[in-house]
Amino acid sequence: MGDIVVFGGSSHPELVNMICENLGVPSSRVDLSKFSNGETNVQIGESVREKDVYLIQSGCGHVNDNFMELLIMISACKSASASRITAVMPYFCYSRQPDIPFTSKGAPLITKANKNSNIEGDILSPAPSALMTQRPGSMSPFKVADEEVRTSTNQTLKKSVSASRIPIVSSKKDPKGTEANEAFNAQNAGYKLWVAQSGTLIANLLTAAGADHVITMDLHDPQFPGFFNIPVDNLYCRPLVQNYIQHHIPDYKDAVIVSPDAGGAKRATAIADSLELSFALIHKERRSQLLKGPPDATLTSGGGLNVSTTPLISNLNSTEITNSPSKYIQTTMLVGDVRNKVCIIVDDLVDTSYTVTRAAKLLKDQGASKVYAIVTHGIFSGDALARIAQSEIDQFVISNTVPQDETISALGKDKVGIMDVSRVIGEAIRRIHNGESISMLFEHGW
Amino acid sequence: MPNNSIKLLAPDVHRGLAELVSKRLGTHLTSSKLERDPTGEVTFSIGESVRGQDIFIITQIGAGDVNDRVLELLIMINASKTASAKRITAVIPNFPYARQDRKDKSRAPITAKLMADMLTTAGCDHVITMELHASQIQGFFDVPLDNLYAEPSVVRYIRENVNFNDAIIISPDAGGAKRAATLADRLDLNFALIHKERARANEVSRMVLVGDVRDKVCIIVDDMADTCGTLAKAADVLLENKARSVIAIVTHGILSGNAIKNINNSKLDRVVCTNTVPFESKMKLCPKLDVIDISGVLAESIRRLHNGESISYLFKHYPL
């Protein structure tokens, strides 16, 4: 490992040390500080002339500061004649935009209830009446939903709904500029606005600063590398997830892999297939009208997949979103059989944790015996950790692409499992430095 | 709606300057929304169509969360670009990272150049700044950069607010001598210079005054005041040399760290800054602060840029 130099940013020093240990190379000295006016100051402490430079910075903590720090480090190495600069970003910031706007508390803006309601209570424990399971001969869930909406609009307003990627701005009362806000809402409610797409921008900024190569892990969008004009190696956490399931989950052979939304179905099926497990899917749906009739064939599923033949549909939290111009109904349904089974929710990212906690609740209500959640990137913003602590999740497994000390202290050691990504990233750096193939890491992990 | 009209955009914080400019231009700020998600990432959306329009993004970058402001600016530029704006001009009166403009140590980053590259990469077509720390930074850009001067505004302020018949212009260091000298010429005043003697690095420097300030009102002129330590020391030196009173006029009042304490404890009568940097909140803490409004210069330069007129008039004259 001759001319390799590894620098760590200030976001995740622990991971940097672990990666360096795996590489057998000490991390090089870099002084990171801030000027008194808030500008970032970087001083590279070792010569990098004609060296192969790796800069490790995760997109967590104070994202913008850390990202600027990375850009300045890249630029400093470039102007100090480094032969190649590789940005290693275990969690890639700004990789999932545009998304639902959030409030400062971490709730999707769209769900913001009126001020008097106890938001937290609603989120942490959805009203039991809102949760319905269709049993043979019972009333159609949609009919119930319809009635519920009609009779108690006030209550449904309070319930949390998560919408898809349409940034409708809610009627939340902003202390500053309320009027302007409302005018803005009235003008734009329901439209896809002129929203910034930061993906290309972030890619171009990295290239402009002088990065020659990017290593990252489990990108939210598989299209993301296409924004770059330089090679992007997207490592997968999947081998680690499989490894964890096989070694740490008792009786995993009877478990069901669950994807908490339709977007993650591919990720979950890949794991289910390679472990020869069955698979279930939770689907969030927004319908433009209230459905009156019984659920038709499109709402049932099970054919083709390795699940039981009895159709099992459940309907959770049918809620009307009243602040949008047309009426939407939100349904969450489980496709697949989880009764008396161990469920493993697999996702790439947990932020507000609404998706995963709601999924766990639904699974437990459907008779799942135990619920695990395995997620690659744990950002845990707002009161996400408190929500998870109170949720039905029995064990939360997370990788260390982002520092997880807080998670462990909030949930307790028994409830958290950590997957170590430093070996995969370290091995990728070694292989890239030596010009070897890294595709083996995609399948087998390390 | 007429095509190719001026659209003014501003982030959701520090909108003061942008609002002043929009008032002077007789227009309003385009409605837009900047959201920070809990992880700190920024989402930006523009509330109306900007296709084919001439966009000006006015941002005030002060002390503190510089990087947040920079990323917000870049995202706003990029959003306008992808919304098919005809031309995007970033109005950054206080250009961030302007002091990191050279490789003064081994492997030091030239962050000003990085800023220039990032702005062009995001899709910026034109940049307006004010009183760049080093005018050579213009050469870092591949797009045109108009560097405005605060001097006409400062001249006006001195004429209106200072008894300038027995005043003298002071440069607090050798680097600012040229700026101080031209201002002294404009006002037909004398000029003196404070020279910092630095025996060795990291040693407390000794200040030497070059020129006569006896019984004069001293006006210290500089482009930037950060912690204000130099200004306070300069005031001491001037008063030791029998100056009657000392005021300081700086273009960019960043006022970070202990600046307010330093000013309050110093012998300065007044510290005057332009509003390129938001410091309204600090004015309450420090009665010695005063402000020069430069929104007129910015508004006029935006109007002239939009109409394709010459801007150089503004280098010498204050707009009406």
Side-chain angles (χ1 to χ4, degrees), chain B residues 20-21 23-26 152-153 156 159-160 293-304 309 311 313-320:
Chain B
L20 286 174
V21 169
K23 247 178 233 157
R24 286 191 187 255
L25 286 171
S153 313
R156 198 171 116 132
R159 287 223 166 102
E160 288 176 358
D293 181 21
I294 46 90
S295 66
V297 184
L298 287 182
E300 183 63 17
S301 66
I302 287 173
R303 200 186 62 75
R304 284 172 182 252
E309 296 167 24
I311 288 185
Y313 173 84
L314 295 173
F315 296 165
K316 287 284 163 214
H317 304 275
Y318 189 83
L320 291 174

Side-chain angles (χ1 to χ4, degrees), chain A residues 34-48 61-65 67-68 71-72 75-76 79-80 91-98 101-104 106 109 169 176 181 184-185 187-188 193-198 201-202 204-205 208-209 351-352 379 381-382, chain B residues 12-13 31-33 35-50 62-72 74-76 78-79 82-83 95-100 103 105-111 114-115 117-119 121-123 226-227 254 256-257:
Chain A
K34 275 194 160 191
F35 293 113
S36 65
N37 65 350
E39 293 177 354
T40 303
N41 182 23
V42 170
Q43 281 183 34
I44 306 284
E46 273 173 41
S47 172
V48 294
H62 201 138
V63 180
N64 293 342
D65 271 345
F67 186 63
M68 275 298 290
L71 291 176
I72 295 172
S75 180
S79 58
Y91 169 61
F92 202 104
C93 56
Y94 284 102
S95 60
R96 60 193 166 109
Q97 286 220 349
F102 291 95
T103 63
S104 55
L109 251 190
V169 183
K176 49 165 180 148
N181 247 342
F184 188 86
N185 292 341
Q187 218 176 327
N188 299 300
L193 306 176
W194 294 269
V195 174
Q197 304 267 355
S198 328
L201 173 65
I202 297 295
N204 288 342
L205 291 179
D351 184 352
T352 57
I379 314 287
S381 50
Chain B
D12 59 342
V13 285
S31 76
S32 62
K33 201 152 189 86
E35 297 279 353
R36 287 171 197 78
D37 77 9
T39 57
E41 292 183 6
V42 173
T43 320
F44 178 69
S45 48
I46 308 172
E48 53 190 83
S49 170
V50 295
D65 38 12
V66 177
N67 295 336
D68 282 341
R69 295 290 96 71
V70 170
L71 257 294
E72 280 165 24
L74 294 173
I75 288 170
M76 289 171 79
N78 199 245
T82 52
F95 193 77
Y97 290 103
R99 278 174 289 181
Q100 285 173 285
K103 217 166 139 177
K105 278 173 240 145
S106 291
R107 301 178 292 279
I110 309 175
T111 317
L114 176 66
M115 280 295 306
D117 286 348
M118 281 160 56
L119 284 168
T121 304
D226 203 336
T227 54
I254 294 167
S256 63

Side-chain angles (χ1 to χ4, degrees), chain A residues 206 297 358 413 418:
Chain A
L206 282 168
R358 207 176 297 140
K413 250 198 165 128
I418 302 282

Side-chain angles (χ1 to χ4, degrees), chain B residues 225-233 255-256 258-260 262-263 266 268 271:
Chain B
D226 203 336
T227 54
C228 295
T230 313
L231 284 184
K233 247 185 251 163
L255 306 182
S256 63
N258 296 328
I260 300 299
N262 284 341
I263 294 174
S266 74
L268 290 159
V271 175

Side-chain angles (χ1 to χ4, degrees), chain B residues 4 11 27 29 37 49 51-52 61-62 73 86 88 104 110 124 156 164 171-172 179 181 203 208 222 248 253 274 278:
Chain B
N4 192 20
T27 172
L29 292 175
D37 77 9
S49 170
R51 190 175 294 273
I61 300 179
L73 173 66
K86 189 177 179 202
I88 300 157
D104 49 3
I110 309 175
C124 189
R156 198 171 116 132
F164 73 104
S171 170
R179 183 179 300 110
E203 231 173 61
V208 182
D222 206 351
T274 68

Side-chain angles (χ1 to χ4, degrees), chain A residues 77-398:
Chain A
C77 291
K78 192 79 184 172
S79 58
S81 309
S83 78
R84 184 173 67 167
I85 298 162
T86 306
V88 183
M89 304 173 75
Y91 169 61
F92 202 104
C93 56
Y94 284 102
S95 60
R96 60 193 166 109
Q97 286 220 349
D99 218 311
I100 324 157
F102 291 95
T103 63
S104 55
K105 271 198 156 174
L109 251 190
I110 204 164
T111 73
K112 182 87 175 187
N114 63 43
K115 272 200 164 157
N116 305 326
S117 74
N118 174 7
I119 299 171
E120 222 147 83
D122 285 336
I123 289 160
L124 293 173
S125 56
S129 69
L131 192 83
M132 286 161 297
T133 308
Q134 191 198 10
R135 294 196 180 78
S138 77
M139 203 166 35
S140 154
F142 295 103
K143 203 170 170 191
V144 180
D146 187 22
E147 273 174 14
E148 192 187 36
V149 166
R150 274 194 213 146
T151 52
S152 59
T153 328
N154 276 342
Q155 209 196 326
T156 51
L157 246 177
K158 289 180 203 159
K159 265 169 224 145
S160 48
V161 187
S162 97
S164 61
R165 307 175 147 248
I166 307 168
I168 298 171
V169 183
S170 81
S171 59
K172 69 159 181 167
K173 292 279 181 283
D174 208 324
K176 49 165 180 148
T178 310
E179 233 169 76
N181 247 342
E182 273 170 6
F184 188 86
N185 292 341
Q187 218 176 327
N188 299 300
Y191 278 93
K192 180 117 180 151
L193 306 176
W194 294 269
V195 174
Q197 304 267 355
S198 328
T200 325
L201 173 65
I202 297 295
N204 288 342
L205 291 179
L206 282 168
T207 326
D212 299 305
H213 199 125
V214 173
I215 301 175
T216 181
M217 184 165 242
D218 266 5
L219 277 174
H220 188 66
D221 291 322
Q223 289 79 15
F224 208 81
F227 297 154
F228 286 84
N229 293 322
I230 51 174
V232 177
D233 280 315
N234 184 19
L235 303 171
Y236 296 103
C237 203
R238 211 182 77 206
L240 297 175
V241 173
Q242 288 173 3
N243 192 43
Y244 191 93
I245 293 173
Q246 283 173 321
H247 290 95
H248 293 90
I249 296 182
D251 303 330
Y252 79 93
K253 290 213 161 103
D254 289 327
V256 183
I257 306 285
V258 181
S259 170
D261 56 22
K266 227 177 154 190
R267 192 177 303 114
T269 44
I271 291 171
D273 283 350
S274 62
L275 293 174
E276 295 180 347
L277 301 178
S278 60
F279 163 75
L281 173 87
I282 292 168
H283 181 41
K284 279 179 289 189
E285 221 182 354
R286 290 185 88 214
R287 297 180 166 264
S288 54
Q289 286 166 20
L290 299 176
L291 287 182
K292 293 271 161 63
D296 58 15
T298 58
L299 299 174
T300 58
S301 179
L305 292 167
N306 185 13
V307 292
S308 104
T309 46
T310 41
L312 247 173
I313 307 136
S314 61
N315 176 20
L316 175 80
N317 275 14
S318 300
T319 313
E320 191 188 16
I321 301 166
T322 43
N323 58 5
S324 54
S326 55
K327 297 198 170 182
Y328 289 102
I329 182 166
Q330 176 88 30
T331 64
T332 312
M333 65 178 88
L334 174 70
V335 185
D337 187 8
V338 298
R339 193 157 296 161
N340 297 327
K341 292 218 173 149
V342 173
C343 289
I344 304 169
I345 303 172
V346 175
D347 205 352
D348 66 332
L349 189 134
V350 60
D351 184 352
T352 57
S353 81
Y354 280 106
T355 312
V356 72
T357 48
R358 207 176 297 140
K361 172 92 182 140
L362 176 61
L363 292 170
K364 275 280 164 86
D365 285 319
Q366 289 292 309
S369 61
K370 218 167 180 199
V371 175
Y372 292 86
I374 304 188
V375 181
T376 310
H377 306 295
I379 314 287
F380 300 119
S381 50
D383 47 4
L385 284 172
R387 208 171 294 123
I388 289 170
Q390 295 195 22
S391 74
E392 307 276 354
I393 298 168
D394 294 297
Q395 198 186 21
F396 208 97
V397 184
I398 202 93

